[in-house]
Amino acid sequence: MAKIIDGKAVSAAVKEDVKKEVEALKANGVEVGLAVVIVGNNPASRVYVNNKKKACEACSINSYEYALPEETTEEELLNLVEKLNNDDSVDGILVQLPLPSQIDEHAIIAAISPEKDVDAFHAENVGKIMIGEYNFLPCTPAGVMELIHSTGVTVEGKDCVVIGRSNIVGKPMAMLLLHESGTVTICHSRTKNLADICKRADILVAAVGKADFVTADMVKEGAVVIDVGMNRREDGKLCGDVKYDEVFEKASYITPVPGGVGPMTIAMLMKNTLTAAKRKIKE
Ligand code: GUN
């Protein structure tokens, strides 16, 4: 039977530390600000953006929301990004994805100043992560590492399997596990013998986007299982990528959905925004 990794508790601790530092900066006349840009009416994005704003409040970070209509052009969004790049009260810029189809996501990410890119999606920041010399870590993989650390399990020498190869989660996740000397395998939709590979994992990270994808027969006895999935069942209930009830019996540690990785992503965003603001005191 697994121990449950409490993402809410770990994220609360991270946010508390951020808040203390933000307030210490404030006492020295330095305010910390995050601009959150949302384009269109995607309901999931609306929920995420509201949660990010709430987290800013909890951490004493100023949040500036820019809600643009669905028909916004790429040029209009680029103009806003440029304005935010040049705004000293904005330390971090987050453009919520996905964007409407008339806007090229890559062009927008490339336009965000790497120093304000608190998602760590810009190619410069991605490159820095590859060589291990980064300012920001992407929020979800960084949150997963915090959760793994909270168990006391070390990554060094462990077989780590990441299911999913997205730019946002799978690829950077693999890199962070590698930085801590894990032996890392990335699986994806074309992987052969996926179940056998997963079954070798001491640490298994599922970022597939399919409900109940990881079943108990794919999990090694005693594995640490991290579920990045956020899927909605037909009845509207949230669930992860892992068939929780049966994997719970086999894993040593497991993250629930909700209440696992989700809250960590936002906590790490707060941490990145603080990191971005510290640049001002070094200059
Ligand atoms: N959409 C889903 N996850 C994310 C994220 O981490 N950052 C941004 N900007 N958009 C997202």
Side-chain angles (χ1 to χ4, degrees), residues 104-244:
D104 176 4
E105 276 179 15
H106 296 292
I108 301 302
I109 291 169
I112 296 173
S113 161
E115 292 177 324
K116 297 190 176 188
D117 169 39
V118 283
D119 270 320
F121 290 169
H122 190 285
E124 185 175 314
N125 288 322
V126 174
K128 284 183 171 172
I129 291 157
M130 287 287 285
I131 59 172
E133 282 192 20
Y134 40 77
N135 307 324
F136 307 118
L137 287 175
C139 301
T140 299
V144 170
M145 294 311 291
E146 291 277 336
L147 292 177
I148 294 171
H149 295 156
S150 78
T151 66
V153 172
T154 50
V155 174
E156 187 177 336
K158 299 272 163 52
D159 278 320
C160 305
V161 174
V162 178
I163 321 174
R165 56 174 157 176
S166 69
N167 288 334
I168 294 183
V169 184
K171 287 184 208 168
M173 186 72 249
M175 203 50 58
L176 300 195
L177 290 163
L178 184 62
H179 286 327
E180 293 195 11
S181 302
T183 303
V184 185
T185 307
I186 306 177
C187 296
H188 47 79
S189 53
R190 309 282 167 87
T191 298
K192 294 192 179 112
N193 305 325
L194 183 110
D196 289 344
I197 295 168
C198 291
K199 209 164 176 169
R200 293 206 302 261
D202 302 304
I203 298 172
L204 180 62
V205 180
V208 198
K210 286 189 184 152
D212 298 331
F213 185 84
V214 176
T215 47
D217 58 313
M218 295 163 72
V219 175
K220 179 170 161 178
E221 193 78 42
V224 175
V225 178
I226 307 285
D227 190 348
V228 183
M230 184 68 83
N231 312 301
R232 215 168 267 284
R233 292 192 197 281
E234 277 172 16
D235 64 5
K237 273 197 168 168
L238 276 183
C239 67
D241 292 344
V242 175
K243 205 161 188 186
Y244 185 85

